[in-house]
Amino acid sequence: MNIWDEFIQTLNEEINKLRVALGHGSAGSYAEYTQMVGNLSGLEWARDNLTDIVKKRIYDEDEE
């Protein structure tokens, strides 16, 4: 497993923790709920965009 796979795995684990916590209603207030949803959204955004960037870089390097 390379560093990129480890990084994505770590992000996925954190995303899943937040999903489970939200699913079990662990947010104590609406403010905490919105913060958790924001964190989840941000982690997913980062994972998806970083994955796209890495794939494009690897694809571009393979073409050269």
Side-chain angles (χ1 to χ4, degrees):
M1 181 181 298
N2 63 34
I3 193 166
W4 177 249
D5 293 331
E6 289 180 43
F7 179 68
I8 292 299
Q9 182 179 356
T10 301
L11 284 176
N12 285 333
E13 288 171 0
E14 190 61 30
I15 287 167
N16 288 330
K17 285 179 192 176
L18 283 168
R19 286 181 179 165
V20 168
L22 285 166
H24 286 105
S26 66
S29 65
Y30 183 70
E32 188 176 350
Y33 169 80
T34 58
Q35 182 179 13
M36 291 171 74
V37 170
N39 288 341
L40 177 60
S41 177
L43 288 171
E44 288 176 333
W45 179 89
R47 180 197 59 198
D48 295 344
N49 283 293
L50 287 170
T51 299
D52 289 343
I53 291 167
V54 168
K55 284 181 181 179
K56 287 176 186 174
R57 293 286 179 137
I58 291 172
Y59 182 73
D60 288 344
E61 287 177 5
D62 288 345
E63 285 187 352
E64 294 177 356

